[in-house]
């Protein structure tokens, strides 16, 4: 597939042509590198186009690099090399430190620690969006015992919840876990996009409200358990993942400090570190 390229590479000897596909000054593009960037799923024609494009981009990149090294002031090039060296060192140190941290870190954050942090800082967790707790059912209008289902859904004691869960395969869709806080905007979007329903905010954002919506073939039962407005304190159930991440990051920082102290202490002990 690359015969057209081989024929054009007059700069190379016969031996070199078996290994390289292009050259820019002292830079050589190997066939192996080119092949790694050409999908095996392409047709012969598309592979040829892809190869030409890659070679052109590779050549442009190398030409820009050589022109930069030739024309940029030596002082700036020295600065760039120093920056590259520091960046490389940072990558090595970070990778090594991260490996040590992960070895000592317990990913599980105790629930009691989360509760304590929330208790001491809950005034700092203000909602920037509206939240609701709700449950809903979507069922066929021709389904039997609709009155019983509606009564169970509204009353929703433990026996009712169990009964509805046992009938779950008979419903078109459902969500009975009304202990979870969800974004009001996501609820509206979900009902509009997946069910074609435009919910009324005054009805949806009213605690203890039961909503019944009828379409051509279906019935929708929605019960709004609780709502929270913007700038109210975020409930712990909603903010728990954020607090867990905060506590996890705090642990990582403490472990990192401990590692740095131990490394210096061990180096001094083993005569690897001296201050003159």
């Amino acid at each position: 597939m690359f015969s057209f390229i081989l024929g054009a590479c007059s700069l190379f000897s016969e031996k070199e042509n078996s290994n390289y596909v292009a050259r820019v000054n002292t830079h050589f593009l190997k066939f192996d590198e080119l092949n790694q960037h050409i999908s095996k799923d392409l047709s012969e024609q598309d592979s040829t186009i892809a190869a030409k494009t890659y070679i052109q981009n590779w050549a442009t990149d190398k030409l820009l690099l050589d022109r930069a090294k030739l024309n940029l002031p030596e002082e700036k090039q020295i600065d760039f090399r120093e920056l590259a060296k520091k960046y490389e060192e940072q990558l090595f140190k970070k990778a090594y430190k991260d490996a040590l941290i992960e070895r000592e870190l317990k990913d599980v954050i105790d629930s009691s620690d989360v509760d304590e942090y929330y208790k001491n800082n809950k005034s700092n967790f203000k909602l920037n969006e509206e939240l609701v707790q709700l449950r809903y059912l979507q069922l066929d209008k021709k389904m039997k015992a609709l009155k019983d289902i509606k009564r169970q859904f509204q009353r929703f004691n433990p026996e009712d919840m169990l009964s509805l869960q046992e009938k779950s395969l008979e419903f078109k869709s459902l969500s009975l876990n009304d202990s979870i806080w969800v974004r009001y905007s996501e609820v509206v979007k979900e009902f509009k996009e997946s069910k074609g329903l435009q919910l009324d905010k005054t009805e949806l954002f009213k605690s203890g409200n039961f909503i019944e919506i009828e379409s051509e073939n279906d019935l929708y039962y929605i019960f709004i358990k609780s709502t929270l407005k913007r700038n109210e304190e975020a409930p712990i159930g909603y903010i728990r993942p954020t607090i867990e991440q905060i506590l996890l990051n705090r642990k990582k920082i403490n472990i990192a400090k401990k590692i740095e102290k131990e490394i210096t202490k061990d180096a001094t002990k083993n005569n690897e570190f001296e201050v003159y």
Side-chain angles (χ1 to χ4, degrees):
M1 58 182 279
F2 301 121
S3 59
F4 76 98
I5 300 172
L6 286 171
C9 295
S10 58
L11 290 169
F12 306 123
S13 66
E14 182 178 348
K15 181 179 180 181
E16 288 175 323
N17 274 333
S18 64
N19 296 315
Y20 302 109
V21 68
R23 178 186 68 84
V24 169
N25 297 323
T26 59
H27 308 285
F28 293 88
L29 176 61
K30 291 185 176 182
F31 269 105
D32 290 343
E33 179 184 344
L34 179 62
N35 285 330
Q36 289 173 5
H37 294 84
I38 306 299
S39 174
K40 296 180 181 179
D41 298 329
L42 296 177
S43 65
E44 181 176 346
Q45 182 179 3
D46 290 340
S47 295
T48 300
I49 294 172
K52 285 183 177 180
T53 301
Y54 184 83
I55 293 170
Q56 185 65 43
N57 292 337
W58 174 88
T60 301
D61 180 71
K62 298 306 179 187
L63 287 168
L64 283 172
L65 178 61
D66 286 351
R67 295 294 192 278
K69 289 181 178 180
L70 181 64
N71 293 289
L72 285 177
E74 184 63 26
E75 296 81 4
K76 189 171 286 294
Q77 294 192 42
I78 292 173
D79 290 341
F80 287 159
R81 292 189 184 98
E82 186 63 27
L83 285 173
K85 180 182 177 182
K86 289 181 179 179
Y87 181 63
E88 181 185 39
E89 291 175 353
Q90 290 295 332
L91 288 176
F92 275 105
K93 290 185 290 185
K94 185 179 185 304
Y96 179 64
K97 190 184 291 185
D98 287 348
L100 294 177
I101 290 173
E102 291 299 322
R103 191 174 65 184
E104 294 192 29
L105 183 67
K106 293 182 179 179
D107 289 334
V108 178
I109 301 297
D110 291 338
S111 180
S112 59
D113 292 338
V114 175
D115 294 339
E116 182 68 19
Y117 187 90
Y118 177 77
K119 179 181 177 181
N120 296 330
N121 299 275
K122 62 181 179 179
S123 61
N124 296 327
F125 295 108
K126 300 294 185 181
L127 292 172
N128 58 7
E129 56 194 335
E130 297 160 322
L131 303 181
V132 296
Q133 288 177 317
L134 58 81
R135 59 182 182 269
Y136 81 88
L137 284 179
Q138 178 186 358
L139 55 161
D140 195 303
K141 288 167 61 174
K142 298 179 181 179
M143 190 174 177
K144 297 180 180 179
L146 286 177
K147 289 184 178 179
D148 291 337
I149 294 172
K150 182 177 179 179
R151 183 174 62 253
Q152 291 176 332
F153 179 79
Q154 288 182 282
R155 186 174 55 193
F156 208 62
N157 59 32
E159 292 77 15
D160 295 329
M161 181 173 64
L162 180 61
S163 177
L164 291 172
Q165 287 175 337
E166 290 174 346
K167 297 186 183 78
S168 61
L169 294 179
E170 301 177 40
F171 303 133
K172 291 190 174 182
S173 66
L174 75 161
S175 177
L176 300 178
N177 189 354
D178 57 11
S179 64
I180 298 175
W181 288 100
V182 293
R183 297 181 179 89
Y184 163 78
S185 58
E186 289 185 354
V187 174
V188 172
K189 182 180 178 181
E190 173 65 21
F191 274 88
K192 182 177 181 180
E193 293 183 355
S194 66
K195 307 180 189 309
L197 298 178
Q198 186 69 49
L199 299 179
D200 185 348
K201 183 174 182 178
T202 58
E203 294 294 320
L204 185 64
F205 210 68
K206 188 188 299 181
S207 297
N209 190 34
F210 172 73
I211 304 170
E212 181 176 348
I213 302 175
E214 183 176 345
S215 66
E216 183 178 354
N217 299 311
D218 299 331
L219 278 175
Y220 299 87
Y221 295 152
I222 305 171
F223 185 84
I224 311 302
K225 182 180 177 181
S226 298
T227 63
L228 285 172
K229 299 178 181 178
R230 292 174 183 267
N231 295 320
E232 289 192 75
E233 289 182 359
I236 189 170
Y238 182 74
I239 208 71
R240 182 175 292 276
T242 300
I243 296 177
E244 288 178 346
Q245 190 60 51
I246 290 173
L247 296 178
L248 188 63
N249 290 338
R250 181 181 290 181
K251 279 191 173 185
K252 288 182 178 181
I253 291 172
N254 292 335
I255 293 173
K257 290 179 179 178
K258 177 185 173 184
I259 289 170
E260 290 171 358
K261 289 181 179 179
E262 289 179 349
I263 286 176
T264 305
K265 183 179 178 180
D266 291 342
T268 303
K269 181 180 177 180
N270 297 326
N271 202 31
E272 296 173 337
F273 170 52
E274 295 178 282
V275 179
Y276 300 107

